[in-house]
Amino acid sequence: MSTAVVIEGPGEHRLVPHEPREPGPGEALIRVHASGICGSDREVYQGNRPEGYVRYPLTPGHEWSGTVQRVGAGVPESLVGRKVVGEGFRNCQVCDRCHAGETTLCSAGYEETGFTQPGAMAATLTLPARLLHVLPDDADLGAAALLEPAACIAAAALKANAVPGERVAVVGTGTLGMFAVQFLRANSPSELLVVGTRGDREALSRQYGATDFRTKDQRLPDDFDVVIETAGSADAARTAAALLRRGGRLVLTGIPAPGADGLDPTDLVVRQLEVHTVFGAPPDAWAHTVRVFAAGLLDPLPLVTHELPLAEFPHAIELVGSGDPKVGKVLLRP
């Protein structure tokens, strides 16, 4: 019997029998290969996710990969059997932000797979086929399960608009940070600095293309053109801003705890810093990610350290929050 994880409310979950929901018009039924766990899933389980950004009871799972099993009316039959990943934001497609391609800013309100809509910690997932991105036939679906966080960083890289020869940096050495290194490396920077709190991430950072690695307590430069912050703390945001030259470009992707002290607005204005933020990934970032992945320029597999069955969901949540340097990306396999 196939199963699904259901979070009834903060700290409460069950493993329940799972019946696939047949795809309606415009929908596709996906056989889930793997679902990744990130800090936001832990927030859902602990009850720390901001109000309006979760709806209980809920099957979590917004990072996933799988294969199309069936499609509903109006969806090309040629999708059946194809390997896919999918966008999480359930945008309305008719508001001005959606028409501008900014689907993560949809004015109809927030709806996202794994947070307010059923997610992929189940044997199957049914969702609008328009959200799917088709992968090459030889794609590794274990690696592809990490393309959702990669797409969020692709959105940051596109906003950063780094050009060849610029000096670029990444603050944060988790999954998002390592994807940021790979995207920025593809733009042929003259220097690529990674700043983190763990010296043990230097080898992987350099493997992905970093030319320099420092911990935040070491002396840091202040003349970089572009910095992408991925650590999700106010301290990391301040470190990232301090790395920039006057007129430099900063992209923030992490979400600090509520009430955290932010950047100094006087510093931002006087130094004329260009600041962007990212929450989720719009379609262009997803398409860019899949192209880069298909071209072999993204290598997610070294980030995966654990693959567990759905029944070990509580253990997976513990691993993600353990702070153990040996724990990277955790995947659940139905």
Side-chain angles (χ1 to χ4, degrees):
M1 178 186 297
S2 61
T3 57
V5 173
V6 173
I7 299 176
E8 298 287 356
E12 303 176 28
H13 88 282
R14 293 186 297 139
L15 202 64
V16 303
H18 174 73
E19 288 291 335
R21 182 174 72 77
E22 288 302 310
E27 293 185 324
L29 172 67
I30 312 300
R31 182 174 70 251
V32 177
H33 176 84
S35 179
I37 294 184
C38 82
S40 56
D41 296 303
R42 191 163 177 265
E43 288 177 353
V44 170
Y45 184 61
Q46 294 182 327
N48 298 327
R49 189 147 173 94
E51 185 178 355
Y53 290 86
V54 64
R55 187 181 302 134
Y56 301 105
L58 173 73
T59 293
H62 61 288
E63 304 178 4
W64 60 270
S65 63
T67 305
V68 179
Q69 277 195 317
R70 292 189 288 280
V71 296
V75 180
E77 285 286 339
S78 59
L79 275 178
V80 175
R82 298 302 304 272
K83 296 177 179 179
V84 293
V85 289
E87 299 174 31
F89 281 74
R90 306 291 187 92
N91 53 86
C92 74
Q93 293 189 291
V94 296
C95 71
D96 62 340
R97 292 302 88 208
C98 284
H99 281 308
E102 298 174 337
T103 55
T104 59
L105 297 174
C106 177
S107 60
Y110 172 77
E111 295 286 344
E112 186 176 4
T113 299
F115 296 108
T116 64
Q117 297 288 333
M121 292 186 194
T124 68
L125 172 65
T126 302
L127 76 169
R130 63 182 170 79
L131 300 177
L132 298 179
H133 290 262
V134 177
L135 302 171
D137 291 337
D138 61 353
D140 185 312
L141 284 176
L146 277 67
L147 292 188
E148 191 277 341
C152 295
I153 292 301
L158 290 171
K159 287 189 174 184
N161 194 29
V163 298
E166 286 193 308
R167 304 178 72 217
V168 302
V170 174
V171 175
T173 58
T175 298
L176 297 181
M178 294 301 96
F179 277 129
V181 173
Q182 294 179 70
F183 276 112
L184 289 174
R185 180 68 185 90
N187 290 328
S188 301
S190 61
E191 294 180 52
L192 204 175
L193 168 67
V194 175
V195 178
T197 59
R198 292 167 42 188
D200 63 304
R201 298 295 273 184
E202 179 173 2
L204 186 58
S205 298
R206 291 187 181 276
Q207 176 183 324
Y208 280 141
T211 60
D212 191 8
F213 181 95
R214 304 186 195 186
T215 54
K216 66 176 186 176
D217 56 347
Q218 292 179 293
R219 185 173 179 276
L220 298 176
D222 60 2
D223 55 356
F224 274 63
D225 300 293
V226 172
V227 179
I228 295 180
E229 177 276 324
T230 68
S233 70
D235 183 58
R238 288 189 292 269
T239 297
L243 288 168
L244 287 165
R245 63 167 172 79
R246 288 170 57 86
R249 306 189 296 284
L250 171 65
V251 186
L252 305 174
T253 70
I255 303 177
D261 291 332
L263 299 175
D264 179 358
T266 301
D267 179 62
L268 298 181
V269 172
V270 171
R271 295 172 60 213
Q272 300 182 61
L273 299 183
E274 184 179 321
V275 182
H276 298 271
T277 61
V278 168
F279 177 61
D284 64 338
W286 272 98
H288 182 57
T289 299
V290 171
R291 284 194 301 268
V292 172
F293 177 65
L297 299 175
L298 280 183
D299 185 14
L301 279 180
L303 302 174
V304 178
T305 58
H306 296 76
E307 295 190 39
L308 305 171
L310 284 182
E312 294 194 38
F313 171 75
H315 178 46
I317 290 291
E318 289 178 7
L319 285 171
V320 170
S322 68
D324 186 339
K326 295 181 181 179
V327 177
K329 177 57 68 172
V330 179
L331 298 183
L332 290 178
R333 298 284 296 271

